[in-house]
Amino acid sequence: MAFAIRIPTVCFTLAILLAGCGQPKGEAKYRTGLKELARGRTAQSIQAFEGSLQQSTDTNRNPLAYNYLGVAYYKAGQLNKAIASFEASRKQAPLLPDPVYNLAVLMVEQNQDSQAIGLFEKAGLMDMKDSRPYEYLAMLYCRRKQWSEAQRVLVEAEKRSPQSPRVMTAMAVLELQTNNVQKAADLLMEALERDKEYAPAIFNLAVLNQSWLKNNDQAAAYYKDFIRLTVDSKLADRARQALLELKQAPEAPASPGPMLKTQDKAMPTTPEWRTDERRPADNPAPELLEYRELLGAAKQKLVAGQPDEALKYLLIAEDNAQ
């Protein structure tokens, strides 16, 4: 499954933005850990967060530090230490949803679905605005062929993220699982109306055309678009393999063939509709701005609900100030 560990990015961004308000014990190393984690320097971020936790007695900051430490350990491939860090975060802040969600993700990756389901349900109740726990639950229920439960949690996800291309794509995958091909196609096309370059919807349209509608030309076109847009190398390899199979396949009939049972089809696995795609932003190059302008731009991005972009401006501002 694609990397899906959750970082509370708004807190992450504010932590750097407000860091100049004082230097409590362990604060400097905590800030260093945030910066190194944002830049992908995993070993350095682990060292910094561990140093901060050794020095700090801050009961508000330490649960966040443990969560970030778990993220860093996850990125470093040290899953047992990641789990221990998330558990420590939960113990110190039982109502913080992020470590609960992250533990659930790790349980999925270790095929402990029953534990993951309980954790995702808790995470969903802790943060009433976040749809992602319910999207993940839908994937797990689809894996178990519990279609009514999958439908239930996707309805809740849609309430929290109305018109989300990711949720629409998840709903489409569920419709395919239950052979509602036209409904699935409509949902995928609607997802592309919201984001014409949303790669998971394009991938599933390719699969739908290849496996259900037997429209190989259209399937090939979607696979090519997906390969051009995706950042997921494993799914890109799958798309390339599908293109090779389509080239070798005999001419398909113009109209769909007889409907096959769901279990007879090569159903795509579904991490694609859990992936938050990262594409280059359209904003001007932030390094051309002055320090005050960078801070202002960061605040605007944060207010606009774009914490990742805000964090980018803040890191550059801090570097320029040093």
Side-chain angles (χ1 to χ4, degrees):
M1 164 163 282
F3 177 77
I5 289 289
R6 172 177 170 181
I7 303 175
T9 318
V10 173
C11 297
F12 196 0
T13 307
L14 287 174
I16 295 177
L17 182 61
L18 302 176
C21 297
Q23 287 284 323
K25 203 169 184 180
E27 175 72 18
K29 289 186 177 180
Y30 176 71
R31 289 177 58 203
T32 298
L34 293 174
K35 291 169 63 178
E36 299 295 353
L37 183 61
R39 291 173 172 139
R41 299 169 184 167
T42 306
Q44 292 89 334
S45 67
I46 289 172
Q47 184 178 13
F49 286 129
E50 287 182 337
S52 173
L53 288 164
Q54 288 172 2
Q55 295 177 358
S56 175
T57 58
D58 189 325
T59 56
N60 292 317
R61 186 178 66 235
N62 284 357
L64 291 174
Y66 271 117
N67 184 65
Y68 294 130
L69 180 60
V71 173
Y73 274 131
Y74 177 92
K75 290 185 175 183
Q78 300 183 52
L79 298 190
N80 289 337
K81 289 187 176 182
I83 290 172
S85 299
F86 293 140
E87 289 286 13
S89 180
R90 286 184 68 195
K91 184 176 180 179
Q92 294 194 12
L95 298 181
L96 184 66
D98 302 285
V100 179
Y101 178 94
N102 289 339
L103 273 173
V105 171
L106 291 186
M107 293 303 102
V108 173
E109 296 196 0
Q110 296 183 348
N111 295 316
Q112 298 182 35
D113 288 3
S114 295
Q115 288 181 264
I117 286 171
L119 289 166
F120 280 130
E121 292 281 9
K122 288 180 182 179
L125 292 174
M126 289 176 176
D127 186 347
M128 299 301 291
K129 294 182 179 181
D130 191 1
S131 66
R132 291 173 296 175
Y134 292 98
E135 295 172 54
Y136 238 129
L137 281 168
M139 184 193 72
L140 293 173
Y141 285 130
C142 281
R143 182 185 292 179
R144 294 177 165 206
K145 299 185 179 180
Q146 294 177 255
W147 312 127
S148 60
E149 286 298 293
Q151 180 67 30
R152 173 185 67 82
V153 293
L154 280 177
V155 168
E156 180 62 31
E158 200 277 333
K159 289 178 183 177
R160 297 180 179 205
S161 296
Q163 308 303 313
S164 162
R166 193 173 66 228
V167 175
M168 290 178 184
T169 303
M171 289 180 166
V173 170
L174 176 59
E175 297 295 344
L176 282 180
Q177 295 274 17
T178 53
N179 279 333
N180 296 320
V181 179
Q182 187 58 54
K183 178 64 173 176
D186 291 344
L187 284 165
L188 292 171
M189 293 305 296
E190 190 174 354
L192 290 183
E193 288 179 8
R194 301 293 170 184
D195 182 351
K196 65 181 180 180
E197 294 188 343
Y198 186 59
I202 294 170
F203 179 87
N204 284 301
L205 276 168
V207 172
L208 185 151
N209 277 275
Q210 179 183 11
S211 300
W212 276 266
L213 302 181
K214 307 302 180 184
N215 187 339
N216 289 356
D217 289 343
Q218 189 63 63
Y222 280 126
Y223 279 129
K224 289 175 182 177
D225 281 346
F226 175 78
I227 292 168
R228 177 175 59 86
L229 293 168
T230 190
V231 296
D232 189 323
S233 60
K234 290 183 179 179
L235 283 177
D237 289 341
R238 286 179 54 193
R240 292 186 187 96
Q241 180 61 37
L243 282 172
L244 289 175
E245 293 171 1
L246 288 172
K247 288 180 180 179
Q248 297 168 2
E251 283 293 321
S255 58
M259 181 61 68
L260 301 176
K261 294 181 181 179
T262 301
Q263 58 266 32
D264 293 335
K265 294 185 179 157
M267 272 300 300
T269 53
T270 52
E272 54 270 23
W273 50 265
R274 280 289 314 132
T275 302
D276 293 316
E277 296 278 320
R278 301 293 187 219
R279 291 194 294 273
D282 295 326
N283 50 290
E287 59 269 19
L288 299 179
L289 302 176
E290 297 295 332
Y291 179 77
R292 289 183 180 276
E293 293 174 309
L294 287 164
L295 290 182
K299 291 178 182 178
Q300 290 177 0
K301 291 293 183 182
L302 193 59
V303 170
Q306 298 175 282
D308 291 330
E309 290 300 307
L311 179 59
K312 180 174 67 177
Y313 281 99
L314 289 167
L315 289 172
I316 295 170
E318 184 153 332
D319 284 344
N320 289 352
Q322 291 175 353

